[in-house]
Amino acid sequence: MKIRDISRMAWEQVKRRKVVTGLCMTGISIGCAAIIVALSVGQSAQVYVTEQVNANFKMDEITVSPGGGLPTNGKSGGGGSGEVNENLDPGKLTDQKLKIIQGLNHVKAASPFHQAGYLQMVTIDNKISDVQVVVADLQKLTAYDHKFKQGGANGQLGSIVLNHGATLGLIDLETRQKLFDQMSADPFNQELYQQYDKMATVPTELYRKQVQIQAQDYSSTSPVFKLSSPLQISGILALPKGMDELRSSYEKIMYVSPETAQQLSKELAFDNSTTSVLTLPPEGSYNSITVKVDDVANIKPVEQMIQKLSLSAQDNLFQQEMLKEQFDMIKMAALGIGVFILIIASISIIVAMTMSTHQRRRQIGIMKVLGANMGQIRNMFITEAALLGLLGGMLGVAFSYLIVMALNKLVGSAGDGMNFFIPTTNLPIGISFAIMTGVLSGIYPAISASRTDALTAIKRD
């Protein structure tokens, strides 16, 4: 008996016993769909969370800060020049080391992103907003995944770039103070908070406009303010992907070049104050720089090269490793649930195939009398069970797509940005489990059928 004959006879039995076939297929399809959906939900959640982590932590970036060394306290070995001797302070992060890092292999960009402090930005029509001043190389903003909505960066002194949030919620001082007073007087009034959130997302056209930075001397008994010279807004950054207007309104950033930062520090210095309104490192050195690497796989080699410059380097790969461990556990749990359902389904197949063996004793006896051996009888029943597994697996694939579509509609109605999908690699996994379940479930009935005594079966039936 050829394989083709065995397959044809198994297929005829599957078609003839419609009720048994339907019940077995249903059980296997549920288990198969459970495995595919569980794995897909885990992978979809992993992709979504990884994107969120990448947006906040930037897996392809390294934060470099001064490393260990012998601090000189601003004095040379001779004790009088006041200059820092880098031979005694090897861990210092200088312009020279920045240029070396920029020339390393796999480094796309290296730039300081120094948070210099929070100050007030004032427009020409007296609208005001609190912004965070960040000192950076404006020409390299696009290398760090920042996209310009309007304009771009230029190297002119006094030129600045605003992020999207800095263009939101600018209101005049009188209206702002009035709203703050009302909120302080009635802190549980939800209408006031809703009004504040609404005002916080009102955009202002600032591209190519001039603004000033206002600083206040808090050490003085009476309010003392200083305004900087006008700053030209050369570019506005686009709203980052996955961030809404309200969340963006709480993140107002003004990017300035190191030269502009030095100018602001001098202009906004108060005579009676010992500290500057802007926190800046000594000229020619940096507290930290951010290095953009071309691929996550090259993070560790670049880190090792940076550390050879006596600098500290820190990445965010541990976040990815933690996520991988957590989602591996979720996938294993999901796989276990699917396998458990398939085990339940396999019991129904064993029962159905055993009953089929009992009902087909006469047919088995006749086949043996005509020359079929035990192996051929066994192979026919196993092939029949494998066909049930295959059909159940295909039905389970269809069920899994319907379930994922329903999940996406449910999540979409809740307003979440997460999107479930089924990776194509999960489909053969689910179908393989279904076929394996069918084959394993058919082994016992197949052995039982192959051991049937031909003459006894014919006489009895």
Side-chain angles (χ1 to χ4, degrees):
M1 190 181 297
K2 298 180 180 180
I3 296 177
R4 182 180 61 185
D5 298 325
I6 293 174
S7 302
R8 181 177 53 79
M9 293 179 66
W11 175 245
E12 290 297 329
Q13 289 298 322
V14 168
K15 289 195 300 181
R16 187 172 65 84
R17 296 160 49 243
K18 294 181 176 59
V19 176
V20 174
T21 299
L23 291 175
C24 293
M25 283 176 56
T26 301
I28 293 177
S29 64
I30 293 173
C32 176
I35 288 177
I36 293 175
V37 171
L39 291 176
S40 300
V41 167
Q43 288 173 303
S44 301
Q46 183 175 2
V47 170
Y48 175 75
V49 174
T50 302
E51 287 178 351
Q52 297 299 313
V53 170
N54 281 334
N56 292 283
F57 295 101
K58 302 294 185 183
M59 296 297 182
D60 58 349
E61 292 182 2
I62 302 172
T63 301
V64 181
S65 55
L70 299 175
T72 60
N73 296 323
K75 295 181 181 180
S76 65
S81 67
E83 296 179 355
V84 176
N85 187 343
E86 193 174 335
N87 292 326
L88 296 178
D89 215 352
K92 188 178 180 184
L93 184 50
T94 61
D95 275 326
Q96 183 181 8
K97 290 184 179 179
L98 174 58
K99 291 178 181 177
I100 294 174
I101 293 172
Q102 289 172 341
L104 294 176
N105 291 331
H106 307 297
V107 172
K108 291 174 61 178
S111 170
F113 281 88
H114 177 73
Q115 299 177 2
Y118 287 87
L119 294 173
Q120 291 182 329
M121 180 179 69
V122 183
T123 64
I124 55 176
D125 53 354
N126 289 324
K127 290 183 178 180
I128 193 168
S129 178
D130 296 319
V131 296
Q132 181 185 29
V133 179
V134 175
V135 183
D137 186 343
L138 303 186
Q139 305 289 341
K140 289 186 170 61
L141 287 176
T142 53
Y144 290 88
D145 303 327
H146 294 293
K147 296 181 180 178
F148 279 94
K149 180 178 69 174
Q150 294 175 296
N154 61 52
Q156 296 180 359
L157 185 65
S159 174
I160 63 172
V161 172
L162 299 180
N163 76 334
H164 182 78
T167 65
L168 304 176
L170 278 84
I171 54 179
D172 61 272
L173 189 59
E174 184 179 351
T175 304
R176 170 176 161 155
Q177 191 59 46
K178 181 180 178 181
L179 183 58
F180 283 172
D181 291 341
Q182 290 176 339
M183 293 171 67
S184 299
D186 190 4
F188 300 104
N189 191 332
Q190 294 299 320
E191 292 183 0
L192 290 175
Y193 285 96
Q194 291 175 2
Q195 182 182 353
Y196 176 79
D197 288 341
K198 186 176 180 180
M199 293 178 64
T201 56
V202 175
T204 301
E205 181 56 49
L206 292 176
Y207 176 51
R208 290 183 176 175
K209 300 290 180 65
Q210 289 188 336
V211 295
Q212 292 176 284
I213 294 296
Q214 177 176 274
Q216 180 179 353
D217 185 7
Y218 292 98
S219 64
S220 176
T221 54
S222 58
V224 178
F225 296 93
K226 267 194 174 184
L227 283 172
S228 70
S229 57
L231 302 172
Q232 182 75 28
I233 300 174
S234 65
I236 306 290
L237 297 179
L239 181 68
K241 182 181 179 181
M243 182 179 290
D244 56 25
E245 296 281 337
L246 183 58
R247 182 183 169 190
S248 177
S249 67
Y250 290 100
E251 188 176 329
K252 304 173 184 290
I253 300 177
M254 172 189 291
Y255 294 98
V256 302
S257 65
E259 296 77 17
T260 301
Q262 292 292 340
Q263 175 183 294
L264 290 173
S265 180
K266 294 174 182 177
E267 291 179 352
L268 301 176
F270 292 96
D271 297 334
N272 59 342
S273 178
T274 57
T275 58
S276 172
V277 294
L278 289 176
T279 306
L280 300 176
E283 193 169 355
S285 64
Y286 308 96
N287 291 334
S288 69
I289 62 172
T290 302
V291 178
K292 190 79 168 180
V293 181
D294 58 2
D295 192 271
V296 176
N298 297 320
I299 286 285
K300 290 300 180 183
V302 173
E303 264 190 14
Q304 293 172 359
M305 288 187 286
I306 292 173
Q307 289 167 352
K308 290 179 180 179
L309 298 173
S310 300
L311 298 174
S312 298
Q314 183 179 4
D315 58 56
N316 295 308
L317 292 182
F318 69 95
Q319 299 281 351
Q320 198 174 42
E321 293 169 359
M322 289 173 57
L323 284 174
K324 185 178 182 302
E325 291 177 1
Q326 293 173 2
F327 282 109
D328 283 345
M329 293 176 60
I330 294 173
K331 289 177 184 177
M332 291 301 295
L335 191 63
I337 294 171
V339 170
F340 175 76
I341 296 175
L342 283 178
I343 290 173
I344 301 300
S346 68
I347 295 174
S348 65
I349 296 178
I350 293 173
V351 173
M353 296 291 291
T354 304
M355 290 177 59
S356 175
T357 303
H358 181 76
Q359 294 171 354
R360 294 159 60 188
R361 285 179 303 176
R362 182 178 177 82
Q363 177 190 356
I364 296 169
I366 294 173
M367 290 175 62
K368 281 195 169 186
V369 169
L370 294 176
N373 57 39
M374 293 178 62
Q376 291 171 337
I377 301 293
R378 185 170 57 246
N379 291 340
M380 185 182 70
F381 275 83
I382 290 177
T383 302
E384 187 177 330
L387 284 173
L388 289 174
L390 176 62
L391 294 173
M394 294 172 65
L395 186 61
V397 169
F399 282 162
S400 63
Y401 275 102
L402 292 175
I403 294 170
V404 167
M405 288 172 60
L407 287 174
N408 281 328
K409 286 186 178 180
L410 182 65
V411 172
S413 62
D416 200 332
M418 185 173 176
N419 180 56
F420 294 104
F421 64 94
I422 298 179
T424 53
T425 53
N426 288 351
L427 301 181
I429 292 175
I431 293 177
S432 298
F433 268 100
I435 295 174
M436 183 177 66
T437 301
V439 171
L440 294 177
S441 303
I443 289 176
Y444 170 74
I447 294 174
S448 176
S450 65
R451 290 177 178 176
T452 301
D453 182 72
L455 295 177
T456 304
I458 292 173
K459 287 180 181 181
R460 183 178 299 174
D461 295 334

